[in-house]
Every structure is written in C-alpha cells, then in structure tokens.
C-alpha cells in the first residue's frame, strides 16, 4: 500500500501512514501515542486534527490522506478542540521540561502530566479558546523511543495490533416465539436483554438461561440498559416503560407521550442519567431518569425517526429518519449543534456514535454505511429546507441489502453492521474500506440488532426468532 512519511512540527518528528488511512484516526492515534488526553477535565472528548504547517489549513477528519495531493515530507501540527466547540488553536506555552521518563501506560498520568493538562485547561477557562496546538511532540515520546512513530495499517505491518479475523457461534438463544427486534448487553457483562414481536422482554444470562420474563401488550421494538445494569427502558408500541431488570418492578410508564411506535432507545453512560427515545411520530424525547419525566421534546424531523444515539460527551444526540435526514442536537436544550446531514433521501435505519470521540456511523437502505465527524460541520450550504452540512462522509459499502443495525465495539475500533440479507459484517473503518469478516446468521432473516459484550470479545446478533452470541477471534 502507498505510504507517506509526514513530519510533525514543531520538533520535526517523522511518522509513516498508509495513504488509505482516515485522517481523523491518524490524528487520534498520534495523540494517544504521544500521551495526550483524549478527554478534557469535564469528560468531554477532545477531537484531534492535523493542520498543514505551510498553508495553515485543517485536513478534514472524515477524509483519507489519498484524497489530498500530499507528498512525503509534508509538515503538520497536531491540533485539538473540545467536542462541543470549533477548533480555535492557541499556542501551548509553558510546557515543563522533561525531567524524567515520560513513557506512560494509557490513561495513567504522572503528576507532571496532570499539571500539564491543568495548564491547558487553564487556557480554555481563561477565554483563550477551547483548542490548543499540541507541541513538543518528540519530547513526549520518551527516551529510547525511535524518532519515527509509524502509524501503519494493520494490513501493511506485521507488528500491528491484533485484529478480528473470524467469528464462531458460541450460544443460540431461542426462547422467543416470534421475530427478535432488539438485543442489548448489560454494561456489567452479566446479562443480555431481548425484545420481540411476541411482546416479550427476556433478561437472560450468558449461559442462555432466562432470569426474567416480562409480557407487553405489543411488540417490544426498542430497549436500553442503565449504566449501573440494574434498570431497563423499553419501547412497546408507543409506550415507554422503565423497570428493574431482575424484579420486574415497573418504575414508570408513559403511554401517551409518543403517538406512534417507538423505534429506538439509548441511555447515556454519563452521570446525567438520561434516556432518549425516537419514534415513528417524528418526535424524539429526552427522559430524566431520577424522577422519570420528559425533559426535552425534539420536533425538528419531518419524517419518522428510526434511530437515536448519544455521543460520548453525554450531551449530544444524533437522530436519523426515513427521509435520509440525520440531525445532531443538544439533549438538554433541543437545539441543533450544526446543520443536518443528508447524503441521500433513502431511509437511514441505523445510527451510532462511537463510544469515544465524535465519529457517527449511519446505515441506510442502499446498504452504505456513512461516517461523519458528528460533532463538527466544516462546510455549510443551503438546502431545500434550510441550512445543510456539506461535509462528505466516508462511505463503506456494506451490502446490496439495506442496513438494519450498527454497533461500535467498546474501544471504538470496530464497527459491526447487520443487514436485511441475514448477515453481519465487522469493520475497522479507521484502516480499511472492506469488512474484516462477514458472517451469515440466518438466510433471509434480517439482522435487526447487534450488541457487543463490554470486553469486546463477543457479539450478539438478533435474527429471526433467535439471538446468536458469537466468539470473536483475533490474529
């Protein structure tokens, strides 16, 4: 594969990249290798970008290096910003000199690193901007590390981290009597919950034994676990219900706030303890889950909503609709954070923010997965109904069959997609545009839902009347 050797300013550190690599993935990997924080002090993700030193222009994170006329020796600075604001870099002065080895285990910080992070936070708080130029890169590589820090696609390097190469079925769960519409793994990894057209919510262990059975008067089309793995929220017809996972105690039920079938539910992992629901009534509702009441009603869609997803910042929501429109908005205020995406007018039935960063995956009826930096819009234009974001998504051609489900692995490296043809695929979208593997679950039975185990070693796929748990193998 064509390789580029690029130079990171101001120290002149060289790094190698495959020209097919996503620019955003490269920037994030550079920041991680250099030991820079991936989130600010409030827990909001930091988005890293590459800025051309010569022109001062930012390269878009959702494009690949091959899309630009770059030559080996091109020089860049690494820039970061908080996810909720545009990049406005300021010079990061006052970095303390390295007085000890700075090689760090990921997410383990020395006192010196903590003080540095605090210094950067002080710049943001003092009004100098939410961004910073990440400088002195070579200094932070640590003694004994080579001057060249390769960022090579796993397909081009025998020393790359292992990646998923195969999957084998480990368990077939067949306790539903009709089509399974949704399955979700509890955050603690102990249980799975599934709902189907038989009106049943089943909570079961990784051994396949049912621990709880709850009957609803309509098909269970959506569900989500709470972060502490003790509660569930379900959607059956137009009713949203909160209940305890193992005792069947109903905590609250709302039969009238949605006017049509609830299609998607998501529970933020952050301390706000909020749930968002999307429905065919074109409404999305954010629910407060301490007193159990609606908090925000989002009514900007003009077509039925198929999917909702929280971003890693715990504040931002993406919702996709039948008309191909994807809107990104603030869960507290209901205000859109940038103009809508619309790459096609076909229904977008699946949407998923990555667990870290701001990458947003959306799947449509044309079998294409579209990847945007969901938190930022770099180019705005005029659409037929108002402003529209013109950022071109990276596209992965999943299959000729429509996409029903998308799920990111817990480490945000892999993306799983489920299709109407009865198969699921696993992708490494930061590296290659072809699936790492594709598995047929049930011929002719759509894969309606996918969920990863919290450790990322297993994937459960709902197809037909069954849920199959797959073991994932790396090499």
């Amino acid at each position: 594969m064509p390789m580029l050797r690029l130079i990171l300013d101001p120290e002149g550190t060289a790094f190698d990249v495959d020209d097919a690599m996503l620019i955003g993935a490269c920037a994030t990997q550079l920041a991680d290798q250099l030991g820079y924080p991936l989130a600010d002090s409030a827990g909001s993700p930091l988005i890293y970008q590459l800025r051309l030193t010569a022109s001062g222009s930012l390269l878009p994170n959702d494009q690949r290096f091959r899309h630009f006329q770059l030559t080996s020796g091109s020089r860049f600075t690494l820039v970061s910003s908080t996810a909720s604001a545009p990049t406005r870099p300021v010079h990061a002065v006052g970095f303390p000199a390295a007085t000890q080895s700075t090689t760090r285990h990921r997410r383990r910080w020395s006192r010196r690193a903590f003080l540095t992070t605090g210094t950067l936070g002080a710049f943001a708080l003092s009004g100098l901007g939410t961004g910073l130029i990440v400088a002195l890169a070579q200094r932070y590589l640590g003694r004994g590390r080579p001057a060249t820090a390769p960022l090579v696609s796993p397909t081009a390097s025998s020393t790359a981290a292992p990646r998923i190469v195969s999957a084998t079925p480990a368990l077939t769960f067949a306790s539903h009597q009709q089509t399974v519409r949704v399955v979700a793994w509890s955050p603690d990894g102990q249980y799975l919950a599934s709902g189907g057209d038989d009106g049943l919510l089943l909570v079961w262990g990784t051994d396949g034994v049912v621990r709880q059975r709850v009957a609803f008067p309509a098909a269970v089309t959506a569900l989500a676990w709470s972060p502490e793995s003790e509660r569930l929220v379900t959607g059956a017809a137009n009713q949203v219900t909160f209940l305890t996972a193992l005792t069947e105690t109903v905590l609250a039920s709302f039969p009238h706030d949605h006017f049509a079938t609830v299609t998607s539910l998501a529970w933020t992992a952050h301390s706000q303890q909020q749930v968002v629901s999307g429905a065919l009534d074109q409404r999305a509702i954010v629910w407060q889950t301490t007193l159990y009441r609606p908090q925000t009603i989002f009514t900007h869609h003009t077509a039925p909503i198929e999917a909702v997803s929280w971003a890693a910042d715990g504040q931002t929501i993406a919702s996709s609709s039948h008309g191909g429109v994807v809107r990104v908005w603030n869960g507290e205020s209901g205000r859109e954070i940038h103009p809508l995406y619309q790459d096609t007018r076909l229904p977008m039935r699946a949407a998923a923010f990555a667990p870290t960063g701001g990458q947003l995956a959306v799947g449509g009826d044309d079998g294409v997965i579209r990847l945007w930096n969901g938190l930022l819009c770099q180019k705005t234009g005029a659409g037929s109904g108002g402003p529209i974001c013109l950022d071109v998504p990276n596209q992965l051609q999943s299959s000729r069959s429509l996409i029903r489900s998308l799920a990111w692995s817990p480490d945000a490296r892999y993306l799983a997609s489920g299709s109407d043809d009865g198969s699921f695929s696993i992708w490494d979208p930061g590296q290659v545009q072809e699936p790492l593997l594709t598995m047929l679950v049930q011929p002719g039975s759509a894969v309606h839902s996918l969920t990863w185990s919290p450790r990322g070693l297993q994937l459960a796929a709902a197809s037909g009347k069954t849920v199959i748990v797959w073991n994932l193998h790396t090499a």
Side-chain angles (χ1 to χ4, degrees):
M1 293 184 179
M3 301 295 295
L4 291 171
R5 172 158 292 192
L6 307 178
I7 308 299
L8 188 64
D9 285 332
E11 294 286 341
T13 302
F15 60 98
D16 296 328
V17 298
D18 174 359
D19 75 345
M21 191 177 192
L22 281 174
I23 294 168
C26 173
T28 300
Q29 286 187 30
L30 268 176
D32 196 32
Q33 288 184 14
L34 299 177
Y36 289 106
L38 301 182
D40 62 18
S41 58
S44 297
L46 292 172
I47 298 171
Y48 287 87
Q49 293 183 269
L50 290 173
R51 181 190 294 279
L52 276 167
T53 301
S55 65
S57 59
L58 288 170
L59 295 187
N61 278 350
D62 58 359
Q63 299 295 306
R64 300 177 187 274
F65 285 97
R66 64 160 63 120
H67 296 156
F68 301 88
Q69 295 181 344
L70 300 175
T71 59
S72 289
S74 297
R75 307 183 76 93
F76 295 87
T77 51
L78 188 61
V79 174
S80 78
S81 67
T82 57
S84 59
T87 302
R88 293 179 294 169
V90 297
H91 291 287
V93 297
F95 275 66
T99 58
Q100 54 181 314
S101 173
T102 58
T103 302
R104 288 166 278 182
H105 188 276
R106 187 177 299 180
R107 306 195 192 283
R108 292 186 65 181
W109 304 95
S110 65
R111 181 174 181 271
R112 181 178 63 81
F114 178 78
L115 291 175
T116 302
T117 305
T119 301
L120 301 179
F123 280 112
L125 292 173
S126 63
L128 294 177
T130 59
L132 55 96
I133 293 182
V134 180
L136 307 182
Q138 189 172 6
R139 178 177 299 172
Y140 283 84
L141 287 173
R143 296 185 180 183
R145 187 178 293 187
T148 299
L151 292 173
V152 184
S153 167
T155 59
S157 173
S158 60
T159 60
R163 66 175 183 174
I164 295 171
V165 295
S166 64
T168 55
L171 171 70
T172 298
F173 180 76
S175 295
H176 283 280
Q177 303 304 309
Q178 297 182 43
T179 299
V180 182
R181 295 291 172 179
V182 61
V183 61
W185 218 303
S186 65
D188 63 8
Q190 295 188 54
Y191 303 104
L192 294 96
S194 54
D197 286 352
D198 53 8
L200 291 178
L201 167 69
L202 301 180
V203 180
W204 42 285
T206 54
D207 55 2
V209 176
V210 175
R211 305 298 205 276
Q212 188 59 256
R213 182 186 302 262
V214 183
F216 288 86
V220 178
T221 51
L223 66 85
W225 285 90
S226 65
E228 80 282 357
S229 301
E230 295 178 357
R231 293 172 291 166
L232 285 163
V233 59
T234 63
N238 62 321
Q239 182 167 312
V240 174
T241 302
F242 294 86
L243 69 160
T244 56
L246 296 179
T247 64
E248 197 182 342
T249 301
V250 174
L251 302 170
S253 187
F254 300 90
H256 305 301
D257 292 81
H258 280 296
F259 309 127
T261 300
V262 176
T263 54
S264 183
L265 287 161
W267 205 315
T268 178
H270 289 252
S271 58
Q272 294 96 324
Q273 290 287 290
Q274 293 168 311
V275 164
V276 60
S277 59
L280 297 181
D281 61 4
Q282 307 175 15
R283 293 154 60 96
I285 301 176
V286 177
W287 305 86
Q288 195 258 17
T289 66
T290 52
L291 299 176
Y292 298 103
R293 61 189 180 191
Q295 177 178 307
T296 306
I297 300 178
F298 183 77
T299 59
H300 293 199
H301 279 282
T302 57
I305 295 173
E306 281 285 351
V308 292
S309 178
W310 288 97
D313 61 10
Q315 303 173 4
T316 307
I317 297 167
S319 48
S320 64
S321 72
H322 277 197
V325 168
V326 181
R327 297 184 182 272
V328 182
W329 45 285
N330 180 275
E332 182 176 354
S333 67
R335 296 175 182 171
E336 294 184 68
I337 67 170
H338 60 64
L340 63 87
Y341 299 117
Q342 188 173 31
D343 192 50
T344 177
R345 295 188 181 275
L346 294 173
M348 296 289 107
R349 300 184 188 274
F353 265 116
T356 61
Q359 196 165 30
L360 173 64
V362 181
D365 277 15
D366 54 3
V368 174
I369 300 169
R370 293 165 172 83
L371 296 165
W372 281 283
N373 181 343
L375 301 176
L376 296 173
C377 177
Q378 298 186 3
K379 186 177 181 182
T380 301
S384 58
I388 187 172
C389 182
L390 300 179
D391 293 357
V392 178
N394 182 44
Q395 294 191 1
L396 306 175
Q397 182 67 56
S398 176
S399 70
R400 298 302 174 188
S401 182
L402 67 86
I403 295 171
R404 290 282 181 183
S405 51
L406 292 169
W408 289 94
S409 62
D411 61 2
R413 177 178 178 183
Y414 300 111
L415 177 66
S417 62
S419 301
D420 246 19
D421 61 8
S423 70
F424 73 83
S425 297
I426 295 180
W427 309 76
D428 185 350
Q431 300 291 348
V432 291
Q433 289 187 289
E434 298 295 327
L436 300 179
L437 61 88
T438 297
M439 303 299 299
L440 183 62
V441 184
Q442 290 194 59
S445 295
V447 178
H448 286 284
S449 184
L450 293 163
T451 182
W452 292 78
S453 67
R455 295 181 61 191
L457 303 178
Q458 293 180 304
L459 180 73
S463 180
K465 300 177 184 179
T466 65
V467 178
I468 300 178
V469 178
W470 299 76
N471 287 336
L472 305 176
H473 311 285
T474 60

